[in-house]
Amino acid sequence: MPRIVFHLDLDTFFVSVERLLDPSLVGKPVVVSPGTARSVVAAASYEARVFGVHSAMPFAKAQRLCPQAVVCPGNFAAYAGYSRAFFDILDDYSPALEPASLDEGYLDYTGCHRLFGPPLAAAAAIQTRVKEELGLDVSVGISASKVVAKIASDLAKPAGILYALPGQEAALLAPLPIRRLPGVGPKTEPRLMRLGIRTIGDLAKLPRELAGQLLGTAGYWLQDAAQGRDDSMVSGREQAKSISHEETFMIDTTDPAFLRHALHRLACEVGYRLRKHGLKSSTTCVKVRYADFSLHTCSQTLTQPTDLDRVLFASGTALLQKVLTRRVRIRLLGFSARNLTAEKAQGLLLDLEGKERLENLHTAADRIRQRYGYDTVRWASLLRQDTE
Ligand SMILES: [Mg+2]
């Protein structure tokens, strides 16, 4: 199955934040730079770029090219705040999120379609949220690899989405100038140009040994990238090793009904996050901390991976009985799901129809929670205990 990698890049990030802070800057050429004699341009608005101004250019040169530009010294605390809020939104769509700088990051969307729909729908939903919640435009490139996704988001600017479908990557890249390929910098570009390699397609067609001779190891990597091939992972995918919730009680307790109720709540929260990220768990673990601070844990391997509250809770209940070996009050209870996989569970189920119904019920409940908050939906068994 091909991977689905998003590259999300905020459009003219620093300038856009300056305009949120001071709307009078909208429509004017804006340059973000300390503005001292030896400083460089950190960012330039499209209106300033028309005059040839671009980021990393010496500020003095930018001023000669576009003397009417408004110069903003830069507000890095504000940029950092917007950046954090941006990644908070992205985190809702996949556990595998790799920030690449303040205003861009990769997200591995493989296996995440159940809650947010096909890739284009998810990308559009992210764009809408970023616009409505932050007032910023984001461009999205989608592909089976990171390098093509990055090029695609660049082509999609401003405020666009471009999906390079599997098998179409090389054709999309071929006509682009060689400098659009990440890794081809101001040193490599003229070297390739002298050899008549002007487009990404030219590099893709070069005999492999020649690419290696010309550019060393980087040559092989660049040629793979030119052909749309890049196996590098979005980091974070492997890091999501467990999802856990725990609760420290206001009053230490030995009450079995209270503990069972708390466990149910924790298992449901873990289940919700598993489904939110399209993951299933094949190991559950219950953790108990007694009033004397001693810690006891117990774990269980499930017969098949699950993301269902009922299955998680049943497993947790069995574990809780095993772990409660002392007649000492408990101050903390934790529940975690481990051995997470993004694949659909393999193997035949005895009660396929019943399971499907249960899955649909969870999906419906999760949709409502996404919209109106986690506490708007609770399972009847929890409510019963609440009113008892
Ligand atoms: Mg950007």
Side-chain angles (χ1 to χ4, degrees):
M1 188 175 76
R3 291 184 301 158
I4 301 168
V5 177
F6 286 17
H7 181 258
L8 305 111
D9 193 354
L10 292 166
D11 296 345
T12 60
F13 176 51
F14 292 173
V15 171
S16 300
V17 172
E18 293 296 339
R19 285 175 170 163
L20 290 171
L21 300 174
D22 177 5
S24 78
L25 298 173
V26 175
K28 290 182 189 161
V30 176
V31 167
V32 178
S33 171
T36 53
R38 297 174 66 179
S39 61
V40 296
V41 173
S45 71
Y46 285 114
E47 295 81 354
R49 291 183 201 181
V50 171
F51 293 90
V53 178
H54 57 79
S55 53
M57 170 183 278
F59 174 71
K61 186 175 178 189
Q63 229 183 3
R64 272 199 307 280
L65 291 170
C66 185
Q68 67 274 43
V70 182
V71 181
C72 299
N75 183 339
F76 284 88
Y79 305 156
Y82 276 97
S83 175
R84 208 175 307 117
F86 171 55
F87 289 116
D88 268 353
I89 292 174
L90 300 189
D91 178 59
D92 284 347
Y93 294 84
S94 167
L97 173 65
E98 180 186 326
S101 74
L102 275 181
D103 68 333
E104 63 178 284
Y106 297 93
L107 189 143
D108 191 332
Y109 191 69
T110 318
C112 297
H113 60 281
R114 243 178 76 194
L115 274 172
F116 305 107
L120 283 172
I126 293 174
Q127 277 189 331
T128 305
R129 276 191 66 189
V130 171
K131 188 69 177 179
E132 282 176 359
E133 293 176 28
L134 308 180
L136 296 170
D137 287 321
V138 61
S139 294
V140 189
I142 309 171
S143 167
S145 71
K146 284 167 77 175
V147 70
V148 178
K150 183 168 169 66
I151 295 169
S153 74
D154 200 24
L155 293 172
K157 283 186 179 299
I161 302 172
L162 182 63
Y163 189 177
L165 292 167
Q168 302 299 310
E169 297 91 342
L172 176 76
L173 303 189
L176 301 175
I178 193 75
R179 65 168 176 282
R180 299 296 280 262
L181 196 63
V184 175
K187 274 187 194 152
T188 312
E189 188 189 0
R191 263 170 82 189
L192 291 169
M193 296 287 266
R194 273 198 300 277
L195 295 160
I197 300 163
R198 296 175 186 282
T199 64
I200 296 180
D202 294 338
L203 180 60
K205 280 188 306 216
L206 205 67
R208 191 149 181 85
E209 310 78 63
L210 194 56
Q213 278 165 26
L214 290 172
L215 302 162
T217 323
Y220 297 122
W221 189 89
L222 285 173
Q223 192 178 41
D224 281 346
Q227 293 169 351
R229 287 201 310 253
D230 169 22
D231 294 334
S232 62
M233 298 283 287
V234 175
S235 69
R237 178 51 106 191
E238 321 88 292
Q239 284 159 18
K241 287 210 169 79
S242 73
I243 289 181
S244 61
H245 276 257
E246 57 183 46
E247 187 174 337
T248 302
F249 304 128
M250 300 273 282
I251 301 164
D252 301 344
T253 182
T254 53
D255 178 358
F258 178 88
L259 288 170
R260 209 176 122 81
H261 186 195
L263 179 70
H264 194 177
R265 200 165 49 240
L266 297 171
C268 290
E269 277 168 12
V270 167
Y272 173 68
R273 285 185 58 213
L274 285 171
R275 295 188 300 278
K276 177 177 160 185
H277 290 306
L279 296 168
K280 292 189 182 201
S281 156
S282 38
T283 305
T284 54
C285 181
V286 164
K287 172 168 97 173
V288 162
R289 194 179 285 284
Y290 289 98
D292 61 5
F293 282 85
S294 67
L295 187 71
H296 292 250
T297 61
C298 198
S299 64
Q300 182 183 44
T301 303
L302 303 171
T303 48
Q304 58 186 15
T306 191
D307 61 0
L308 299 176
D309 294 355
R310 196 174 67 182
V311 179
L312 294 168
F313 178 54
S315 162
T317 306
L319 289 171
L320 185 63
Q321 266 159 14
K322 268 203 225 167
V323 85
L324 289 183
T325 51
R326 305 171 62 198
R327 295 195 55 80
V328 178
R329 283 201 299 273
I330 288 164
R331 67 185 314 268
L332 175 148
L333 180 65
F335 180 80
S336 62
R338 299 178 182 181
N339 278 329
L340 308 184
T341 45
E343 297 89 16
K344 287 238 159 204
Q346 297 292 310
L348 270 178
L349 292 156
L350 294 173
D351 179 16
L352 201 59
E353 207 184 302
K355 182 164 185 294
E356 200 174 301
R357 224 178 300 129
L358 203 56
E359 278 179 349
N360 291 341
L361 185 65
H362 280 83
T363 307
D366 291 346
R367 285 227 177 91
I368 297 170
R369 283 168 166 167
Q370 291 270 333
R371 227 163 135 184
Y372 301 108
Y374 183 82
D375 284 329
T376 49
V377 177
R378 310 193 63 184
W379 302 122
S381 53
L382 270 181
L383 281 175
R384 252 199 317 278
Q385 286 211 313
D386 276 349
T387 49
E388 264 166 16

